[in-house]
Amino acid sequence: MSTQSKGFDLGNTSGVQEAEDEGTVIEVLDQNSDVMEHGKGKTVTMRVAGSYSKRYKAAQHKQTNRALKGKRTKFDAELLETQRHEVAAACVMEWAGFFDGGAPLECSRANALAVFAAAPWILPQVEVAIEDHASFTGTNSPS
């Protein structure tokens, strides 16, 4: 039995960026890949925008413009790591279950950078979520 492909239809692309702008919720795992909880049955979560989102594009453009303005021609590992952190932090929209000294930690770009520095296992989880396009339009997508 053969199925004919519909191919690519430019008219069917609407809603993709909007879905990634809304973000998807991920459960954040600890350093042992176990789900973290805060309170009874509440898991530690983040809402993350995707790489087709306005947030992601703005973070990428900011980095590119900074490099062009400074005419930076040398890149090193530290700079590339900082850029990864900055893009991921820009895509973190909200979170639940993050604390500092027992007090709730406000979700902000600066605090996301602090979380990535203190808990480096969280950054790859956010990066995977940013590129998991099916999660923005599938059953994992918040609506």
Side-chain angles (χ1 to χ4, degrees), residues 15-17 19-21 23-24 49-53 56 127-141:
V16 174
Q17 179 182 324
E20 296 210 9
D21 284 339
T24 189
S51 67
Y52 301 148
S53 71
Y56 183 91
E127 290 176 323
V128 166
I130 288 169
E131 295 296 337
D132 183 11
H133 303 292
S135 71
F136 296 95
T137 56
T139 57
N140 292 338
S141 179

Side-chain angles (χ1 to χ4, degrees), residues 36-38 42-45 95-99 104-105:
M36 291 188 283
E37 294 186 358
H38 67 105
K42 294 181 181 179
T43 58
V44 175
T45 61
W95 60 35
F98 285 82
F99 301 91
L105 185 63

Side-chain angles (χ1 to χ4, degrees), residues 57-138:
K57 289 177 187 176
Q60 289 283 338
H61 292 164
K62 182 178 178 180
Q63 289 180 352
T64 301
N65 289 336
R66 192 180 329 153
L68 292 172
K69 186 175 183 179
K71 298 186 183 358
R72 179 180 284 261
T73 57
K74 287 183 119 180
F75 291 90
D76 56 24
E78 291 79 11
L79 175 63
L80 295 176
E81 182 176 3
T82 297
Q83 290 179 333
R84 285 180 53 214
H85 287 222
E86 288 175 354
V87 170
C91 290
V92 175
M93 303 169 69
E94 62 185 31
W95 60 35
F98 285 82
F99 301 91
D100 184 11
L105 185 63
E106 178 187 354
C107 182
S108 68
R109 191 176 291 195
N111 285 343
L113 290 169
V115 166
F116 298 154
W121 56 89
I122 295 177
L123 175 65
Q125 295 174 59
V126 171
E127 290 176 323
V128 166
I130 288 169
E131 295 296 337
D132 183 11
H133 303 292
S135 71
F136 296 95
T137 56

